[in-house]
């Protein structure tokens, strides 16, 4: 018996894999390919347990597919531009480049001991000139195809970071990095024309069966398709050349409940009026400096300014409505103007109650016919499917559902000529200009004679200057005259470079395609991209459901239009998995002012719940996402030093379904380490040289069953179930009275089945028992299904008639047990998401059909 020594065996096998280039991705047209990718990390300087879990999941799939005979691409890179590097560099008086590359080196050194099956030869950082130079080439191609343009626009301005933020980067009215209240500011900006693909991006979601439903719903809501009515409210007295206010509404059925017409502070009419009205100018300025998140507009205080103007109601010219400027109306949506119906819109109700404007009820619920009044707290919003009483209608209809009322009104408006049906999208074009240094320079030159001219591709990459001064607020590129001043690529006269850099979300919107050939002299090598794309399995956090994933889908379409990807890759990710977080208990005490003081887990005596240093009692709070601020972090490097990488990998996979959070505990890690040690001791007790011809039928059956169950679990992303089956299989081998030959055969299979999860220990077992060559390159075991035919049946599972998975069941299971197994299958539960099936139909021995 020998002691399990992870430090020795893990370094040995990692060196062996490196020397043999085991994980180098090679295009081989004779093999199927598999591209597995985890969202690449930001080089903050330290990896955390979330990284360990994320990359271990991808590694399990990559190793499994390699064993199944696929050419596997499993790359790694770094999402390296952005504000944190610039802020850190300012703090230490260095260049962001030095800070970034130093962190990359540190994190690479921390990740390699995990034994990940990564092709490190394809590694790149988005701040590498070779990478962002090709991004600049993409920009130029997109500009040529009309997918990039420049215009003056009202933008979200972060007054601390002094840069523009996309709508998605404004969280609760504050900058997502700085936390500063965001202001509205008018600047000339570059935009990606993502709205050109609004309908395509929306419709394609219906066919993305291997994406989580919650992510598809979030994207669908963000794109926000709506059918409404566009109509005019004519001004009683025209202002300059403006004689009417155009309004787009999704609720034209409430038109007879109109109380006022509201316009945005940035509406052309408002800007025209503020020229001669200082009070309005002051009001508009204060609103433009306020937050613009949907939550703030929805829940914040409603503010308005009465312009003194009136408009005529389109259905009754004798009915005049006042025109107000309102803080909750944005130019970004619709026409920047609304008609307010306070009885049936909560924001309108709060506004009208504050300014004592009329409240006219248009609908009543049949069940609760109480009209909305000036003292009512909630507006009545007619449900789309519920019948309601149409009180102040202009059609001969007494009852309709909410949606019927909308459709009827649009039909009447078009028939009578006072409005037209319009389909709009919530999605807006992507403003990509950022007034920062540490980002990809926009490859455009501004010439007095030629205008905005793209740089010549032969001059790319347009590199960032290294000698910049970050001590002064604002964009240092604007002050760097030797970099800024240049010659026009078109006429050769003196000109100036664009000093804005690209939003860092651009960098991560196409990196998956670059991995197919990181050394290509164009953005992609079409031959390599055609072989490796699409990404077969993409893994990352659900927090990227809108920001990153939507932009990547747009970029894939743009790259197809510009000739850098084939049509099949306009949806770049065939399957998406969003993993849960790694959590940990929080340990806190209170200082003399009763403020919380947080403590690292290693500073606590967990048995006595006291601080080791002072013996002060510690309060243990519920487990939460690991956070430096709460100090509930566990350093993966410490875990690897103490227990080994395989223990860390085993624990993050075993304790919880991968889509749910997993709580890291010291006892759990120690239990995982003890189990792996037990496996090694049981194997090393065998004499691998002992020849025996024994054949144990029961152990052979258990081996076949384990192969089937563990393979199914890995295919279904149910890694915790795979590990549970491994425990069961190991215990069966251990307790078996079979001879050494049968045990040796089963332990060799156990090593193969464990290898995606704990590759180092599995490789050591394989070598000890005399396995042929490297286990990492061995073929995945095949079950002798003849041994299982008498006991089990394979049953396909359908959802609404479409095959989604299959399960292996014992022939004597009851109907209810089969249905339960079907619903807990990982593929089925992932597809269902939070939906509850209406029916589960089991045809004995043949099929399970789930109806939703």
């Amino acid at each position: 018996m020998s002691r399990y020594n992870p430090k020795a065996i893990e370094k040995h096998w990692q060196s062996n894999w490196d020397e043999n280039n085991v994980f180098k991705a090679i295009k081989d047209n004779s093999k199927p390919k598999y591209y597995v990718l985890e969202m690449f990390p930001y080089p903050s300087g330290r990896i955390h347990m979330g990284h360990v879990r994320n990359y271990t999941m991808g590694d399990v799939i990559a190793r499994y597919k390699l064993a199944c005979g696929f050419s596997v691409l499993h790359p790694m890179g770094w999402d390296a531009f952005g504000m944190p590097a610039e802020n850190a560099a300012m703090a230490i008086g260095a260049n962001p480049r030095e800070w970034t590359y130093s962190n990359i080196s540190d994190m690479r050194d921390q990740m390699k001991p995990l034994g990940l099956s990564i092709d490190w030869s394809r590694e790149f950082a988005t701040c590498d000139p070779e990478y962002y130079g090709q991004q600049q080439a993409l920009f130029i191609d997109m500009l040529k195809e009309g997918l990039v343009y420049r215009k003056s626009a009202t933008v979200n301005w972060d007054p601390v970071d002094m840069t523009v933020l996309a709508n998605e980067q404004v969280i609760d009215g504050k900058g997502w990095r700085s936390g500063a209240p965001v202001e509205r500011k008018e600047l000339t900006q570059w935009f990606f024309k993502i709205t050109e693909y609004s309908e395509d991006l929306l419709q394609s979601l219906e066919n993305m069966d291997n994406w989580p439903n919650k992510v598809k719903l979030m994207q669908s809501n963000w794109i926000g398709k709506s059918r409404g009515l566009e109509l005019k409210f004519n001004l009683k007295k025209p202002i300059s050349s403006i004689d009417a206010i155009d309004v787009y509404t999704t609720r034209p059925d409430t038109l007879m409940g109109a109380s006022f017409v509201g316009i945005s502070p940035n509406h052309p009419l408002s800007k025209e009026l503020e020229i001669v009205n200082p009070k309005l100018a002051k009001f508009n300025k204060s609103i433009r400096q306020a937050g613009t998140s949907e939550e703030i507009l929805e829940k914040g205080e409603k503010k308005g300014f009465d312009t003194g103007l009136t408009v005529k109601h389109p259905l009754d010219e004798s009915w005049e409505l006042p025109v107000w400027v309102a803080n909750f109306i944005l130019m970004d949506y619709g026409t920047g103007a609304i008609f307010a119906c306070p009885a049936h819109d909560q924001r309108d109700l709060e506004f009208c109650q504050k300014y004592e404007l009329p409240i006219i009820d248009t609908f009543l619920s049949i069940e609760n016919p109480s009209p909305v009044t000036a003292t009512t707290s909630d507006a009545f919003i007619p449900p789309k499917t519920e019948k309601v009483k149409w009180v102040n209608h202009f059609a001969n209809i007494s009852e309709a559902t909410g949606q019927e009322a909308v459709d009827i009104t649009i039909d009447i408006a078009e028939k009578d000529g006072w409005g037209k049906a319009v389909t709009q999208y919530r999605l807006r074009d992507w403003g990509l200009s950022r007034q920062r240094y540490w980002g990809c320079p926009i490859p455009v030159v501004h010439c007095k004679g030629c205008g905005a001219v793209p740089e010549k591709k032969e001059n790319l990459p347009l590199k960032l200057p290294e000698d910049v001064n970050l001590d002064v607020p604002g964009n240092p590129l604007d002050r760097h005259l030797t970099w800024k001043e240049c010659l026009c690529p078109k006429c050769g006269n003196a000109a100036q470079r664009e000093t804005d850099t690209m939003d860092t979300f651009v960098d991560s919107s196409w990196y998956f395609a670059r991995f197919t050939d990181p050394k290509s002299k164009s953005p992609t090598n079409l031959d390599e991209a055609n072989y490796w794309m699409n990404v077969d399995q993409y893994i990352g956090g659900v927090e990227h459901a809108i920001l990153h994933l939507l932009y990547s889908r747009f970029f894939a379409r743009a790259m197809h239009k510009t000739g850098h990807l084939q049509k099949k890759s306009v949806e770049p990710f065939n399957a998406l998995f969003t993993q849960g977080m790694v959590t940990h208990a929080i340990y806190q005490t209170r200082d003399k002012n009763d403020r919380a003081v947080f403590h690292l887990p290693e500073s606590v005596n967990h048995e006595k719940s006291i601080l080791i240093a002072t013996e002060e009692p510690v309060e243990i709070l519920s487990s939460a996402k690991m956070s430096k601020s709460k100090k509930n972090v566990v350093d993966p490097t410490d875990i690897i030093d103490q227990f080994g990488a395989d223990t860390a990998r085993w624990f993050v996979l075993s304790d919880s379904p991968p889509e749910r959070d997993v709580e890291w505990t010291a006892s759990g890690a120690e239990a995982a380490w003890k189990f792996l040690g037990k496996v090694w001791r049981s194997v090393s007790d065998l004499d691998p040289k002992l020849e025996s011809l024994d054949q144990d039928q029961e152990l052979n059956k258990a081996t076949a069953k384990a192969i089937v169950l563990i393979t199914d679990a890995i295919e279904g992303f149910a890694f915790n179930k795979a590990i549970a089956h491994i425990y069961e299989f190991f215990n069966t081998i251990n307790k078996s009275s079979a001879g050494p030959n049968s045990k040796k055969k089963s332990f060799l299979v156990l090593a193969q089945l464990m290898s995606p999860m704990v590759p180092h220990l599995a490789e050591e077992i394989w070598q000890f028992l005399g396995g042929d060559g490297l286990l990492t390159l061995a073929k995945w075991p095949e079950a002798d299904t003849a041994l299982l035919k008498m006991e089990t049946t394979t049953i396909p599972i359908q959802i609404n008639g479409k095959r989604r998975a299959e399960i292996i069941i014992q022939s004597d299971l009851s109907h209810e047990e089969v249905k339960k197994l079907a619903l807990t299958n990982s593929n089925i539960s992932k597809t269902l998401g939070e939906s509850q099936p209406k029916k589960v139909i089991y045809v004995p021995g043949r099929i399970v059909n789930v109806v939703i």
Side-chain angles (χ1 to χ4, degrees):
M1 183 175 74
S2 63
R3 181 176 172 80
Y4 172 49
N5 185 357
K7 280 190 176 180
I9 68 171
E10 288 178 358
K11 287 182 179 178
H12 168 74
W13 289 115
Q14 288 165 18
S15 297
N16 193 304
W17 297 329
D18 288 344
E19 289 167 8
N20 288 282
N21 285 321
V22 170
F23 306 123
K24 187 172 179 61
I26 299 173
K27 185 181 73 149
D28 185 345
N29 290 316
S30 68
K31 289 183 178 181
K33 68 87 187 179
Y34 198 88
Y35 183 0
V36 58
L37 181 65
E38 306 91 359
M39 295 179 184
F40 63 171
Y42 180 78
S44 60
R46 300 296 301 174
I47 68 168
H48 51 71
M49 293 309 299
H51 288 126
V52 174
R53 193 182 195 204
N54 194 33
Y55 298 123
T56 300
M57 287 181 186
D59 196 51
V60 169
I61 297 298
R63 286 176 175 275
Y64 167 72
K65 291 295 182 180
L66 185 65
C68 290
F70 287 79
S71 286
V72 174
L73 173 58
H74 186 206
M76 176 57 65
W78 310 92
D79 191 9
F81 274 136
M83 284 300 303
E86 200 163 325
N87 290 339
M90 285 189 283
I92 62 176
N95 189 290
R97 180 179 287 98
E98 300 166 17
W99 184 86
T100 299
Y101 282 109
S102 174
N103 284 353
I104 288 173
S105 178
D106 289 345
M107 290 180 71
R108 187 192 303 113
D109 289 345
Q110 295 163 42
M111 290 178 73
K112 284 198 169 183
L114 287 168
L116 302 170
S117 59
I118 286 169
D119 180 356
W120 286 99
S121 70
R122 293 176 184 253
E123 177 190 12
F124 61 74
T126 57
C127 62
D128 295 342
E130 294 79 12
Y131 180 82
Y132 70 73
Q134 296 304 329
Q135 186 165 296
Q136 291 167 341
L138 266 177
F139 179 95
I140 291 169
D141 290 344
M142 291 169 71
L143 183 64
K144 183 179 178 181
E145 289 291 339
L147 293 173
V148 183
Y149 65 95
R150 193 167 182 256
K151 71 172 183 179
S152 178
T154 303
V155 296
N156 302 309
W157 179 257
D158 188 316
V160 172
D161 284 344
M162 296 188 71
T163 188
V164 168
L165 301 176
N167 286 337
E168 299 92 328
Q169 294 165 324
V170 180
I171 310 298
D172 297 334
K174 297 177 181 179
W176 76 309
R177 291 281 191 202
S178 71
V182 169
E183 301 174 357
R184 300 289 281 174
K185 192 172 184 178
E186 191 150 326
L187 292 175
T188 301
Q189 300 282 288
W190 289 97
F191 289 84
F192 285 127
K193 200 171 184 182
I194 190 172
T195 54
E196 180 165 314
Y197 296 101
S198 295
E199 184 64 20
D200 185 26
L201 289 166
L202 183 64
Q203 290 300 321
S204 291
L205 292 170
E206 296 179 6
N207 300 317
M208 293 160 68
D209 295 334
N210 293 315
W211 277 45
N213 286 333
K214 62 182 177 182
V215 173
K216 292 192 288 185
L217 179 61
M218 291 166 75
Q219 291 217 356
S220 176
N221 289 341
W222 190 259
I223 295 167
K225 182 178 180 179
S226 63
R227 180 174 181 262
L229 185 71
E230 196 171 273
L231 66 161
K232 290 182 181 292
F233 286 81
N234 293 318
L235 282 162
K236 184 178 180 182
K237 180 181 178 183
I239 300 296
S240 210
S241 60
I242 304 172
D243 58 6
I245 298 174
D246 292 323
V247 167
Y248 170 78
T249 177
T250 58
R251 294 302 312 276
D253 52 322
T254 64
L255 190 56
M256 298 305 288
S259 179
F260 69 94
V261 167
I263 59 175
S264 162
N266 293 304
H267 192 280
L269 177 59
S270 182
K271 290 184 176 181
E272 189 73 30
L273 292 171
E274 71 178 24
I275 294 172
V276 295
N277 190 331
K279 289 184 178 179
L280 176 58
K282 183 179 179 182
F283 173 82
N284 285 347
K285 182 180 179 180
S286 69
I287 301 305
R288 289 167 190 149
Q289 291 176 337
T292 60
S293 75
E294 287 193 43
E295 185 174 3
I296 284 181
L297 296 178
E298 191 76 33
K299 299 179 181 178
E301 181 188 358
K302 306 302 179 287
K303 297 179 181 179
F305 188 96
D306 186 356
T307 66
L309 302 178
T310 59
V311 291
K312 299 174 182 177
H313 195 286
L315 295 177
D316 184 354
E317 289 206 345
S318 66
W319 183 0
E320 293 184 7
L321 300 171
V323 177
W324 285 69
V325 179
N327 69 330
F328 62 89
I329 305 171
L330 296 177
M331 277 305 297
D332 298 2
Y333 300 103
T335 61
I338 65 163
F339 76 81
C341 179
H344 308 303
D345 182 279
Q346 190 63 31
R347 289 186 301 188
D348 295 351
L349 178 62
E350 292 170 11
F351 189 96
C352 289
Q353 286 174 336
K354 177 177 180 177
Y355 293 105
E356 298 182 350
L357 294 167
I359 296 170
I360 307 167
D361 210 331
T362 301
F363 282 107
L364 294 175
S365 168
I366 293 173
E367 289 78 14
N368 182 26
S370 299
V372 180
T373 67
T375 59
T376 305
S377 59
D378 295 315
F380 172 64
I381 301 172
K384 287 188 174 182
T385 56
E386 182 184 315
K387 288 280 185 182
V388 289
K389 203 171 182 181
W390 206 350
V391 182
N392 294 295
H393 56 83
F394 43 87
N396 188 25
I397 299 165
S398 60
E399 290 179 12
T401 68
Q403 190 58 52
E404 285 172 346
V406 170
D407 294 338
I408 291 166
T409 309
I410 291 174
D411 291 343
I412 291 172
E414 291 205 301
K415 180 183 176 183
D416 294 346
W418 51 268
K420 63 178 181 178
V422 174
T423 297
Q424 288 203 357
Y425 300 87
R426 181 178 180 273
L427 182 66
R428 292 294 174 263
D429 282 337
W430 174 8
L432 67 112
S433 300
R434 299 294 180 269
Q435 295 68 41
R436 304 308 307 175
Y437 163 68
W438 193 234
C440 175
I442 294 174
V444 171
V445 170
H446 297 284
C447 173
K448 289 184 179 179
C450 305
V453 181
E455 184 57 88
K456 293 180 179 178
K457 283 190 178 180
E458 55 263 35
N459 294 336
L460 303 180
L462 171 58
K463 295 182 180 180
L464 289 166
E466 295 191 23
D467 55 332
V468 292
N469 178 8
L470 297 172
D471 296 336
V472 181
N475 186 357
L477 294 178
D478 233 3
R479 305 186 296 269
H480 198 294
L481 297 184
T482 56
W483 184 87
K484 180 179 177 180
E485 294 177 354
C486 62
L487 298 179
C488 174
K490 190 173 182 180
C491 69
N493 291 330
Q496 290 188 338
R497 297 195 186 283
E498 172 65 69
T499 58
D500 286 352
T501 53
M502 297 187 199
D503 179 7
T504 54
F505 279 98
V506 180
D507 312 332
S508 59
S509 292
W510 72 286
Y511 78 108
F512 49 85
R514 185 65 180 171
F515 272 136
T516 62
D517 186 354
K519 307 299 182 186
S520 173
K521 300 301 181 183
S522 57
T524 62
N525 174 334
L526 273 176
D527 187 45
E528 292 286 328
N530 188 43
Y531 177 79
W532 290 113
M533 287 294 288
N534 295 349
V535 176
D536 294 283
Q537 183 64 66
Y538 199 32
I539 304 169
V542 73
E543 66 270 19
H544 300 292
I546 295 172
L547 284 168
H548 164 60
L549 291 170
L550 188 62
Y551 290 162
S552 295
R553 296 178 63 214
F554 160 68
F555 243 79
R557 286 161 168 77
M559 291 178 75
H560 168 62
K561 188 170 184 177
T562 54
H564 298 297
L565 282 178
Q566 294 201 351
K567 176 69 175 175
K568 68 169 187 172
S569 298
V570 296
E571 284 298 345
F573 311 122
N574 289 346
L576 171 70
F577 188 86
T578 55
Q579 86 284 354
M581 299 180 294
V582 181
T583 65
H584 197 289
I586 299 170
Y587 305 98
Q588 77 170 22
T589 57
R590 294 277 173 181
D591 65 14
K592 61 183 180 181
N593 296 314
D594 199 35
R595 292 175 299 196
V597 179
F598 300 105
H599 302 277
L600 291 167
E602 58 265 30
S603 68
V604 176
N605 180 321
H606 298 276
E607 290 183 6
K608 298 181 179 180
S609 297
I610 59 173
L611 289 178
I612 295 171
T614 64
E615 298 189 352
E616 182 182 356
V618 172
E619 183 183 2
I620 303 175
L621 305 181
S622 298
S623 186
K625 180 183 177 181
M626 288 189 182
S627 162
K628 289 181 182 178
S629 63
K630 297 289 192 296
K631 292 190 176 181
N632 65 331
V633 292
V634 174
D635 191 326
T637 304
D638 293 342
I639 298 301
I640 293 170
D641 287 343
Q642 185 177 1
F643 296 115
D646 280 347
T647 293
R649 293 168 62 111
W650 186 263
F651 181 83
V652 295
L653 294 173
S654 66
D655 203 50
S656 180
E659 67 274 13
R660 297 180 189 167
D661 295 348
V662 59
E663 182 179 8
W664 182 273
T665 62
S667 60
E670 189 170 347
W673 178 75
K674 285 180 178 178
F675 172 74
L676 298 181
K678 185 178 179 181
V679 172
W680 173 243
R681 288 193 300 275
S682 296
V683 170
S684 61
D685 277 345
L686 291 173
D687 182 353
K689 295 178 182 178
L690 181 65
E691 293 296 332
S692 171
L693 299 177
D694 70 274
Q695 290 287 331
D696 188 280
Q697 193 73 348
E698 288 305 312
L699 192 52
N700 288 343
K701 282 184 180 180
T703 301
K705 180 181 178 182
I707 292 170
V708 170
L709 292 173
I710 292 164
T711 301
D712 180 63
I714 292 175
E715 287 275 7
F717 245 84
F719 305 133
N720 61 313
K721 290 184 180 179
I723 286 175
H725 294 314
I726 288 172
Y727 277 115
E728 182 183 356
F729 183 35
F730 168 72
N731 288 333
T732 300
I733 301 172
N734 239 13
K735 293 175 182 177
S736 173
S737 58
N741 187 59
S742 287
K743 280 199 169 186
K744 176 182 173 181
K745 283 173 57 181
S746 293
F747 271 127
L748 281 168
V749 172
L750 178 70
Q752 289 180 282
L753 297 175
M754 292 177 73
S755 63
M757 285 73 98
V758 285
H760 310 91
L761 175 59
E763 197 80 69
E764 189 75 6
I765 293 171
W766 183 261
Q767 184 195 49
F768 178 81
L769 294 178
D772 186 21
L774 281 172
L775 170 57
T776 305
L777 296 177
K779 185 181 177 183
W780 190 254
E782 292 183 11
D784 184 352
T785 53
L787 296 171
L788 303 174
K789 280 184 179 178
M790 298 300 293
E791 297 180 358
T792 61
T793 306
T794 299
I795 301 292
I797 312 170
Q798 294 183 343
I799 295 180
N800 290 348
K802 189 170 183 178
R803 185 175 179 137
R804 298 288 189 174
E806 59 182 32
I807 53 174
I808 295 173
I809 64 168
Q810 293 178 330
S811 303
D812 58 351
L813 285 184
S814 70
H815 284 215
E816 290 307 312
E817 287 173 319
V818 173
K819 291 177 183 179
K820 185 177 179 181
L821 279 175
L823 292 177
T824 56
N825 176 274
S826 55
N827 281 344
I828 299 302
S829 59
K830 183 169 68 173
T831 303
L832 289 175
E834 297 177 4
S835 302
Q836 293 298 317
K838 295 177 182 176
K839 288 182 182 179
V840 181
I841 304 165
Y842 172 46
V843 180
R846 292 179 58 192
I847 196 168
V848 177
N849 194 19
V850 181
V851 181
I852 59 174

